[in-house]
Amino acid sequence: GGGLVHPAVFGGVGGLDEPHTFVFDPEHSLESHHLRAWLEKLCSEAARNGFRAVIVLTGHYGAAQQIAVRETAVRMTKLLGIPILGTPEYFLALDEGYYGDHAAFFETSIMMHLFPDRVDTSRLGDEPHQGVGGRDPKRFANAEDGRRICDAIVARLATLADAMPRWDEAARRRFLDAEQA
């Protein structure tokens, strides 16, 4: 679809209260001091550098994270005059039965597809698995489901990346109205 893929931002709102985790903004806080400012700067710099659309994709599903991403995208769309979509990636594959999880069936299947050499479910031990939220990845995860989900997400992102820069003012207005709702 064209464009630029910015390196991932490994941080956001919330996180599990588990050993070895770092929480910068609490999960139930709608005041994201770190993520909002980072996203605002990324969007501003994209616009300054001539990009005509931005897609901010989050893989963290906490409600506060999703609100921060979507709200920032709406605000920056108004401010910069270019369409900015902020969305969790699972929104792009809901019809594939993908609704996100935490280190369980979905995320492990995606990893098995993208980075099979980095997945070793035998290290999980017996259920319940610490930090895993969703269907047991040892029993259900597989690379084929990961491929199916990734293919859907990538195809839809490419379609959006191709279309969004060409939206006229009326299309941007409809988009902004829908996102504000």
Side-chain angles (χ1 to χ4, degrees):
L4 167 77
V5 177
H6 189 275
V9 174
F10 293 102
V13 182
L16 295 174
D17 186 17
E18 298 274 349
H20 315 296
T21 61
F22 293 78
V23 177
F24 293 96
D25 286 315
E27 183 71 47
H28 301 293
S29 170
L30 295 181
E31 297 298 321
S32 169
H33 302 288
H34 303 285
L35 181 62
R36 286 178 198 263
W38 187 264
L39 294 177
E40 288 169 359
K41 189 63 174 173
L42 285 173
C43 293
S44 294
E45 287 299 295
R48 186 181 67 80
N49 280 284
F51 288 90
R52 297 184 317 266
V54 175
I55 299 172
V56 178
L57 194 66
T58 181
H60 180 60
Y61 311 129
Q65 171 92 3
Q66 291 185 48
I67 290 168
V69 168
R70 293 190 79 191
E71 184 278 329
T72 301
V74 166
R75 192 165 25 80
M76 297 308 286
T77 294
K78 290 178 189 176
L79 182 68
L80 300 173
I82 62 172
I84 300 172
L85 173 64
T87 186
E89 98 282 354
Y90 73 88
F91 274 20
L92 300 169
L94 286 169
D95 62 326
E96 293 290 331
Y98 178 46
Y99 49 83
D101 60 21
H102 194 275
F105 162 72
F106 291 119
E107 287 186 348
T108 304
S109 293
I110 290 170
M111 286 295 292
M112 287 174 155
H113 168 62
L114 296 173
F115 305 104
D117 58 319
R118 296 185 185 172
V119 178
D120 181 3
T121 58
S122 70
R123 296 182 62 192
L124 286 171
D126 296 325
E127 285 190 87
H129 310 301
Q130 183 178 8
V132 174
R135 287 190 288 167
D136 184 358
K138 285 180 72 173
R139 293 178 43 214
F140 300 106
N142 64 84
E144 181 55 31
D145 279 323
R147 184 200 56 76
R148 178 179 54 79
I149 292 164
C150 285
D151 286 353
I153 292 169
V154 169
R156 289 159 186 172
L157 283 173
T159 298
L160 285 165
D162 182 56
M164 287 172 64
R166 295 191 316 269
W167 288 350
D168 62 14
E169 185 55 38
R172 282 194 300 273
R173 182 81 249 158
R174 288 190 304 274
F175 166 74
L176 185 56
D177 289 346
E179 286 300 292
Q180 288 180 122

